[in-house]
Amino acid sequence: MTSLPSPTKEDGKPGEPGGPPSPGGLQAGLKNRHLSMIAIGGVIGAGLFVGSGSGIAAAGPAILLSYALVGLMVVLVMRMLGEMAAARPTSGSFSAYADRALGHWAGFSIGWLYWFFWVVVLAVEATAGAVILESWVPAVPQWGWALIVMVVLTATNLVSVASYGEFEFWFAGIKVVAIGAFVVIGLLAVFGVLPGSDNPGAGFAHLTDSGGFLPKGPGAILTGVLMVVFSFMGSEIVTLAAGESSDPQRAVSKATNSVIWRIAVFYLGSVFVVLTLLPWDDPSIVKDGSYVAALNSIGIPHAGQVMNVIVLTAVLSCLNSGLYTASRMAFSLGRRGDAPGAFARTNARGVPRAAILSSVLFGFVAVFFNYEWPDTVFAFLLNSSGAVALFVWLVICCTQLRMRGIIQRETPEKLVVRMWLFPYLTWATIAMISFVLVYMLTDDTGRDQVLLSLLVAAVVVAVALVRDSLRRRSA
């Protein structure tokens, strides 16, 4: 087998999409244990802990089918992305692949939209973390905590990629241990074998004893899909991080192959435990949060504070990874001439300082908007990035349709991860994502997200097409 390129090099010529970096590029500072935990923790966002209660209230036990449908979609998308990333690891991931397979406009557009999504997430997560921290130490105002959290994580990202990996290793580790313990303890309580449990241990009865498994009807499954789909965003981060590891092909292959059990255990497993510990219409699920309510039903002391610690960890993990992801996408855009050249420069430790600082600066501005104009400016930012996750997945699918042929023609020996039943499952996934986007237009909340996200996407695509036209004329 032909040896893989260095993790700091990308296929192509300097200055071209996927071209090799200039001296002083990204360095292979991530270890296998970092990447393994980034892959595992990438699918566990704060949205799982915070948003699952609303999904349960909207769909009842059928929310399990909603999670399963979205989980299936993510598994298929990750398989496609894994196929491309294992063959051509690069810091730009799907943006660089779209550039090659669909055209420069596609790589430019999806790269900037993805960057925009994550810098808005920085503001959301910084605010969520500040709320928890202020409840513990009210002497520091919310905005002060948001500032402190972002400054600390910016500093860790600026030190080296290894420091990002180390922080994420421990953040993700806490999330994994917490959910694993929750599932085991919860199941013991469900079957009435947990010593000292306050839960009646009704087995699976709660899945059907309050109006059946589909108390809100089959349509509630799709409503649930809209409510949970964005909590899965982040599973693709490992394909960006793999470009800074010593063995990117192995890392991507391992992450792609393990995504099924990760989603099954962390999402389906934990939500299943909640639904079997409590009736789906128990008021505490929405009032206290699904996981806190479940822990309270068992009799775990100080369940609220325990869950706040876990949620804060998830928030810090998301902030840490969001800043890393936004900066690496900005770095890749700079390398391809789609962002200021300073974004493509790295310091002696292989850190793209300008890309990190510009990303966190926008995050700071978004935090300011959240405190000053939460219902106008920040609401626009939030809604206009709301459907970007689905756009990214759709572009990955379309890119893989073209990239399979390119890889087979140029480097067939690197096609070590293959999409199942290609191209049929790829087309089926495109149909699934398109259906969700169309269905969102029938939902009051989803409609605003799709329309505003489409507006922003149209502006970015228009800029890309104008840039391409100007480049062709100058050439």
Side-chain angles (χ1 to χ4, degrees):
M1 179 179 290
T2 304
S3 62
L4 282 168
S6 162
T8 61
K9 294 182 184 260
E10 301 164 0
D11 297 322
K13 298 177 181 180
E16 289 184 353
S22 55
L26 298 177
Q27 295 180 0
L30 293 176
K31 300 176 182 177
N32 286 333
R33 66 182 178 88
H34 293 153
L35 282 167
S36 296
M37 202 55 77
I38 289 169
I40 295 171
V43 296
I44 312 172
L48 172 61
F49 301 105
V50 178
S52 56
S54 300
I56 291 171
I63 194 68
L64 286 169
L65 297 180
S66 303
Y67 274 107
L69 283 172
V70 180
L72 173 62
M73 206 155 56
V74 171
V75 166
L76 295 174
V77 170
M78 277 298 294
R79 187 72 185 183
M80 290 179 241
L81 184 55
E83 176 181 292
M84 298 182 287
R88 300 191 176 194
T90 166
S91 60
S93 189
F94 50 84
S95 174
Y97 308 142
D99 198 318
R100 175 72 193 276
L102 304 179
H104 187 71
W105 66 272
F108 176 96
S109 302
I110 205 63
W112 276 113
L113 286 172
Y114 192 68
W115 178 87
F116 175 59
F117 172 86
W118 279 110
V119 292
V120 172
V121 166
L122 291 181
V124 174
E125 300 295 340
T127 304
V131 170
I132 296 173
L133 289 166
E134 188 193 28
S135 69
W136 294 342
V137 186
V140 180
Q142 253 188 54
W143 66 265
W145 279 120
L147 182 65
I148 290 169
V149 166
M150 291 190 74
V151 166
V152 169
L153 292 179
T154 300
T156 65
N157 274 264
L158 285 172
V159 171
S160 69
V161 69
S163 64
Y164 154 72
E166 200 62 33
F167 267 75
E168 191 56 26
F169 176 82
W170 291 106
F171 285 152
I174 292 171
K175 290 189 293 184
V176 169
V177 170
I179 293 186
F182 175 80
V183 170
V184 172
I185 293 172
L187 287 175
L188 291 175
V190 165
F191 293 108
V193 294
L194 182 69
S197 172
D198 296 338
N199 193 277
F204 300 142
H206 289 321
L207 293 176
T208 55
D209 63 6
S210 296
F213 188 74
L214 293 166
K216 300 287 186 78
I221 298 172
L222 292 176
T223 301
V225 165
L226 303 187
M227 301 184 75
V228 306
V229 66
F230 303 109
S231 64
F232 282 83
M233 192 66 166
S235 53
E236 70 291 331
I237 291 175
V238 69
T239 64
L240 281 82
E244 292 178 82
S245 72
S246 57
D247 191 355
Q249 188 182 71
R250 178 177 177 273
V252 169
S253 300
K254 188 176 179 181
T256 302
N257 292 330
S258 66
V259 71
I260 298 175
W261 72 259
R262 287 186 276 133
I263 289 174
V265 172
F266 299 132
Y267 279 88
L268 291 173
S270 61
V271 174
F272 175 80
V273 166
V274 171
L275 288 165
T276 48
L277 286 172
L278 291 165
W280 71 270
D281 54 356
D282 189 305
S284 65
I285 288 179
V286 174
K287 179 175 175 289
D288 301 327
S290 57
Y291 291 85
V292 172
L295 292 174
N296 282 333
S297 78
I298 298 173
I300 301 293
H302 310 295
Q305 288 304 319
V306 169
M307 191 51 60
N308 273 341
V309 172
I310 297 169
V311 171
L312 179 63
T313 303
V315 164
L316 295 176
S317 172
C318 193
L319 263 172
N320 195 37
S321 288
L323 181 53
Y324 171 83
T325 305
S327 65
R328 269 31 178 203
M329 187 57 74
F331 170 83
S332 178
L333 288 166
R335 289 285 313 285
R336 289 178 273 145
D338 292 334
F343 287 9
R345 289 196 286 271
T346 59
N347 60 19
R349 295 185 299 274
V351 175
R353 185 184 303 168
I356 291 174
L357 292 177
S358 62
S359 299
V360 81
L361 176 61
F362 193 96
F364 278 129
V365 172
V367 168
F368 173 75
F369 288 155
N370 192 17
Y371 286 107
E372 288 295 318
W373 303 289
D375 299 322
T376 52
V377 179
F378 189 72
F380 171 80
L381 290 178
L382 206 58
N383 284 324
S384 60
S385 64
V388 166
L390 292 169
F391 294 168
V392 167
W393 295 346
L394 197 57
V395 167
I396 289 172
C397 296
C398 296
T399 300
Q400 192 261 341
L401 285 172
R402 298 288 301 275
M403 278 298 291
R404 168 66 76 91
I406 294 173
I407 296 170
Q408 284 182 322
R409 185 171 62 252
E410 296 180 356
T411 52
E413 72 280 2
K414 294 182 181 178
L415 199 59
V416 294
V417 176
R418 290 175 178 265
M419 176 58 184
W420 306 297
L421 296 177
F422 177 82
Y424 307 110
L425 272 183
T426 301
W427 281 111
T429 309
I430 290 173
M432 289 170 62
I433 297 170
S434 301
F435 176 79
V436 172
L437 283 168
V438 172
Y439 188 78
M440 285 179 72
L441 293 172
T442 67
D443 179 77
D444 291 338
T445 304
R447 186 183 305 114
D448 290 341
Q449 291 184 354
V450 172
L451 293 177
L452 288 175
S453 296
L454 282 172
L455 174 63
V456 172
V459 171
V460 175
V461 170
V463 171
L465 293 174
V466 170
R467 281 170 53 88
D468 283 355
S469 177
L470 294 175
R471 282 181 174 181
R472 282 195 298 270
R473 289 181 183 178
S474 63

